[in-house]
Amino acid sequence: MLVTVETGIILTVVLLGLYLRFPQRYSHVLFGQRGIYKVVFTTIICQLIFYLFDLYDISKPRLRRELLSNLFQAAGVTTLALGLVVLMRPTLLLGYLQEIEGVGTVRYGNGVPVIAMVLALALMICWRLGIHWVMRHPKFGERVLIVGADSLAVEVAREAMSRRDLGYKVVGFIAEDQNLIGETPLNPKALGLVGDLSRVVEEQVIDRVVVALQDRRGHMPVDQLLKIRLEGRAAIEEGTALYERLTGKISVEMLRPSWIIFSGGAKRTAVWNVVRRAFNFMLALLATILSLPIAIVTAIAIKLDSPGPIFYTQERVGKNGRVFKIIKFRSMLQDAEKDGRPKWAQHRDPRITRVGAFIRKTRLDEIPQFINILRGEMSFVGPRAERPFFVERLSEEIQFYSQRHLVEPGLTGWAQVNYGYSSSVKDAIQKLQYDLYYIKNVSLLFDIWIIFKTIRIVLFGYGR
């Protein structure tokens, strides 16, 4: 909704700016001089920069002052970006329309961008603050009742309440234990027992019932849920499903295999596999060519910074458990594991070189992995490829860990852009939850979305 409305706002103000500047020749400017293409181009640039400033990350809790700050920053960068484009090629943007006024030279001075930017910023601020107020107002949004009062229910409620901009209003809990009535597992409190579900739904005017029972045997109010659903009094949703939508990950503690098995999803055909492989191959080939100058500079810097080889190879576990050799730029001292025992990379790890710290932060150490993608050992997007030693250990300690090897490992991934490097079993569990979400929802569009998020992190430092 945000993207659609704001695309409409930008298109409208640019067209209005054109009309105010060229009222007599508006149609000729727009169609005869191909102004419509330049309007669309301007809109795309604006929306891309809004995305880079996290203005479409609706799951991110954001205060009003943060929202305004991001809007002004995005507007400033948009102005600079459009100005830079015009300086490099004036005919691309609306400044070229000066020619029809008989000026004789192409210059960015017809006032359209200034008019459009002022109007867009004013409308965008009003629109965003309005949405921000409505979604956070207690009288608006979707009233949610959570069936359950244990750790699963509390975690789902906490995630919903921390994302107020999504419009969920947690009204209360339905408890299994009489002693919990009136208690506050989180705040709000437990409003009734499982047998009181229908009454509470009616009294509290509930829009959505979220079933988050840890133990459902003998506690699941099937008849009441069925009646509520068939009467259309409220939507019914699994707690695991809501948690997945809110967080972008699948909780290992909450996960029941049957939920994933029956959660839908089409068969991944041979055509889909071929298209995805072709996408990865062509993108890796293009990236290899474009990154070659950066790779050469990086290689020289590594060689000058510390003794040892420029590249290093290491065994990693790929799809279906197949072991392959991953290629990376060396970021650690030579013989970083001279005792022969694999170790987690730590924050401020003393084994990391000065150049290594920079290339790890900017992901430049991953450039040689384009070769692994060209070989078909990896994809651009997927779970991080781990070493056999850690895979064996983590598979024993973490349930469902082996499921992450159902797809090719990736140069980047949903876990990498949301959580970053892991240095403990606890971190590995968190990343597994993002990996399971990716595997369940894998698609080419999702891959492209993750690639854009990775670019944003590398260029602007947003994310982890």
Side-chain angles (χ1 to χ4, degrees):
M1 183 185 69
L2 289 174
V3 173
T4 302
V5 171
E6 290 172 8
T7 298
I9 288 175
I10 296 168
L11 283 171
T12 301
V13 297
V14 175
L15 292 173
L16 182 59
L18 273 176
Y19 179 78
L20 293 174
R21 183 63 183 86
F22 305 111
Q24 304 300 323
R25 301 189 179 187
Y26 178 71
S27 297
H28 180 68
V29 167
L30 196 59
F31 301 107
Q33 296 291 323
R34 298 182 180 179
I36 188 65
Y37 299 112
K38 298 167 188 178
V39 170
V40 172
F41 178 74
T42 301
T43 303
I44 292 172
I45 294 292
C46 291
Q47 292 293 66
L48 178 61
I49 292 173
F50 270 46
Y51 163 76
L52 292 175
F53 275 87
D54 263 354
L55 287 168
Y56 294 124
D57 186 356
I58 59 174
S59 63
K60 179 180 178 181
R62 185 182 279 112
L63 298 174
R64 188 175 295 138
R65 63 175 176 271
E66 292 178 295
L67 177 63
L68 289 173
S69 175
N70 288 346
L71 276 172
F72 279 109
Q73 289 175 26
V77 172
T78 300
T79 303
L80 291 174
L82 292 175
L84 185 61
V85 169
V86 171
L87 285 175
M88 292 189 296
R89 189 164 183 181
T91 57
L92 280 177
L93 289 183
L94 297 171
Y96 178 69
L97 299 176
Q98 281 288 84
E99 283 192 328
I100 67 168
E101 295 293 302
V103 175
T105 58
V106 179
R107 55 192 175 92
Y108 192 61
N110 58 26
V112 174
V114 175
I115 295 171
M117 186 57 66
V118 171
L119 290 174
L121 190 57
L123 289 174
M124 209 76 79
I125 289 173
C126 293
W127 156 250
R128 282 290 184 136
L129 289 180
I131 286 292
H132 192 265
W133 180 82
V134 167
M135 298 303 282
R136 287 171 171 257
H137 197 282
K139 291 186 178 180
F140 297 100
E142 201 169 51
R143 294 173 62 81
V144 176
L145 178 68
I146 298 181
V147 180
D150 50 27
S151 58
L152 167 58
V154 170
E155 186 62 26
V156 172
R158 181 180 288 112
E159 294 294 344
M161 293 170 67
S162 68
R163 293 167 171 81
R164 294 172 60 192
D165 288 349
L166 296 181
Y168 292 114
K169 308 294 183 293
V170 179
V171 175
F173 298 86
I174 291 293
E176 305 147 76
D177 186 350
Q178 177 71 41
N179 296 325
L180 292 176
I181 300 298
E183 296 294 320
T184 55
L186 182 63
N187 189 22
K189 62 185 179 181
L191 301 175
L193 292 171
V194 171
D196 302 322
L197 178 60
S198 291
R199 176 185 61 79
V200 173
V201 167
E202 185 173 352
E203 289 179 356
Q204 297 294 329
V205 195
I206 299 300
D207 300 305
R208 183 175 298 272
V209 176
V210 177
V211 181
L213 291 167
Q214 198 92 39
D215 182 10
R216 300 187 175 189
R217 289 172 296 182
H219 299 287
M220 185 81 160
V222 176
D223 292 339
Q224 293 184 77
L225 288 170
L226 185 62
K227 184 178 179 182
I228 291 168
R229 173 66 184 86
L230 293 178
E231 289 179 348
R233 290 158 58 193
I236 311 292
E237 186 171 18
E238 280 264 12
T240 314
L242 179 59
Y243 183 87
E244 177 190 1
R245 285 196 291 112
L246 290 171
T247 64
K249 60 184 179 181
I250 295 175
S251 172
V252 176
E253 290 81 8
M254 301 178 191
L255 180 60
R256 290 178 296 109
S258 60
W259 173 72
I260 289 187
I261 292 170
F262 296 109
S263 62
K267 175 184 176 181
R268 294 170 193 165
T269 63
V271 173
W272 185 88
N273 291 325
V274 169
V275 170
R276 190 165 186 263
R277 173 66 188 132
F279 170 78
N280 279 285
F281 184 87
M282 296 303 297
L283 196 59
L285 186 61
L286 179 63
T288 301
I289 295 169
L290 294 177
S291 65
L292 191 58
I294 299 174
I296 293 171
V297 173
T298 303
I300 294 171
I302 292 170
K303 201 65 180 175
L304 294 175
D305 182 55
S306 62
I310 294 170
F311 303 98
Y312 82 93
T313 60
Q314 196 176 68
E315 285 192 343
R316 297 292 175 97
V317 179
K319 185 177 180 180
N320 298 324
R322 183 170 61 90
V323 177
F324 68 99
K325 293 275 190 179
I326 198 171
I327 309 169
K328 299 183 77 172
F329 278 127
R330 181 175 60 85
S331 61
M332 291 188 174
L333 297 170
Q334 192 175 13
D335 299 324
E337 293 179 346
K338 55 186 176 183
D339 59 357
R341 290 183 58 81
K343 300 175 183 176
W344 294 102
Q346 302 293 329
H347 180 62
R348 298 186 183 278
D349 197 315
R351 298 174 298 167
I352 299 175
T353 65
R354 289 172 299 178
V355 170
F358 175 76
I359 64 176
R360 285 168 74 93
K361 183 177 180 180
T362 56
R363 311 285 178 97
L364 294 178
D365 62 323
E366 315 278 2
I367 288 177
Q369 291 179 51
F370 294 147
I371 297 172
N372 293 114
I373 298 174
L374 292 171
R375 289 175 178 172
E377 298 164 334
M378 294 177 62
S379 292
F380 248 93
V381 179
R384 179 180 171 81
E386 294 290 356
R387 300 167 69 176
F389 173 84
F390 292 122
V391 169
E392 184 178 350
R393 176 186 167 189
L394 293 171
S395 296
E396 292 174 355
E397 297 188 29
I398 304 174
Q399 190 179 19
F400 306 117
Y401 189 82
S402 61
Q403 305 304 315
R404 67 194 300 277
H405 300 123
L406 294 175
V407 296
E408 296 91 350
L411 186 148
T412 185
W414 189 236
Q416 287 94 305
V417 299
N418 283 287
Y419 199 80
Y421 286 104
S422 59
S423 58
S424 65
V425 174
K426 183 179 178 181
D427 290 339
I429 292 173
Q430 289 296 322
K431 293 191 73 172
L432 173 62
Q433 295 180 139
Y434 287 108
D435 288 334
L436 290 175
Y437 178 90
Y438 171 76
I439 294 168
K440 176 177 175 285
N441 299 286
V442 64
S443 70
L444 200 57
L445 287 177
F446 195 15
D447 284 355
I448 294 170
W449 174 253
I450 293 170
I451 289 170
F452 273 115
K453 285 180 74 72
T454 304
I455 293 170
R456 184 184 66 187
I457 291 169
V458 171
L459 293 181
F460 296 91
Y462 292 118
R464 295 182 181 269

